[in-house]
Amino acid sequence: DQQVKQNSPSLSVQEGRISILNCDYTNSMFDYFLWYKKYPAEGPTFLISISSIKDKNEDGRFTVFLNKSAKHLSLHIVPSQPGDSAVYFCAVTHPGSGTYKYIFGTGTRLKVLA
Amino acid sequence: DSGVTQTPKHLITATGQRVTLRCSPRSGDLSVYWYQQSLDQGLQFLIQYYNGEERAKGNILERFSAQQFPDLHSELNLSSLELGDSALYFCASSVGQGFIDEQYFGPGTRLTVT
């Protein structure tokens, strides 16, 4: 039973255009959401996060949107650059639950074409 | 370079055997997390230690165990290995004990069970 789903295994985007990566979750108790980026042969690196009290968080070219009613979050990258080509994982957690565990999605492989 | 080191990088062993994976967290980080990434799967949280004590448990099999030592390095022990245990094992560290802390991932240990 996948509690966090990234339904698009891959995505190709032209350099300079917007990349939109999506993530859906099932449990409305999740209240903290993160995106990680992973290059081949490296561990994931933290990108951006958002708490459930917000619906948007921006950091440079990266913006995360949270739609709690739809249990959906998305990561927008504008403008996309070839160096953004990587696998992107969303992760959710419920800090107040006491269990303190991340649940990761299966990842979306983004390819930015020059 | 995240500052988290993992050894060995690669490990090939046979079914039924036991292996130990090692992780050294970033200087100053007190939490260590272990994750498993199987082929085409997301990251599965296994276990977290904070300052030497178990803090949270995820989908860790009974054949697997971990510990965090006084110098804060951690070891993940995998025993009675099965073919399905072949995966990338990541260690991550963070300053605090909560999952909203940014986690820094090591490069991973690739385990192949033959």
Side-chain angles (χ1 to χ4, degrees), chain B residues 5-67:
Chain B
T5 59
Q6 288 186 249
T7 56
K9 278 191 175 178
H10 303 277
L11 199 48
I12 302 174
T13 190
T15 53
Q17 295 298 304
R18 173 190 167 96
V19 297
T20 297
L21 312 184
R22 183 188 167 104
C23 169
S24 292
R26 285 189 330 153
S27 175
D29 285 358
L30 298 178
S31 272
V32 169
Y33 311 79
W34 286 98
Y35 293 87
Q36 179 193 57
Q37 184 183 21
S38 303
L39 191 64
D40 294 331
Q41 297 293 310
L43 291 152
Q44 300 288 322
F45 167 69
L46 297 178
I47 198 164
Q48 176 201 2
Y49 279 83
Y50 175 76
N51 205 20
E53 293 194 3
E54 184 182 303
R55 185 66 182 88
K57 217 166 191 176
N59 302 318
I60 188 165
L61 299 171
E62 284 191 15
R63 299 183 285 109
F64 296 1
S65 65
Q67 54 184 324

Side-chain angles (χ1 to χ4, degrees), chain A residues 2 32 34 36 38 41-47 49 87 89 93-95 98-107, chain B residues 35 37 40-45 48 55-59 88 90 97-108:
Chain A
Q2 275 189 293
Y32 198 76
L34 309 95
Y36 278 80
K38 185 183 180 303
E42 294 182 13
T45 54
F46 170 77
L47 202 52
S49 63
V87 178
F89 293 96
T93 188
H94 178 203
T99 59
Y100 290 105
K101 61 179 184 181
Y102 277 165
I103 302 174
F104 278 82
T106 51
Chain B
Y35 293 87
Q37 184 183 21
D40 294 331
Q41 297 293 310
L43 291 152
Q44 300 288 322
F45 167 69
Q48 176 201 2
R55 185 66 182 88
K57 217 166 191 176
N59 302 318
L88 261 174
F90 288 103
Q97 57 179 316
F99 267 76
I100 63 173
D101 298 322
E102 180 177 340
Q103 294 184 22
Y104 294 84
F105 282 77

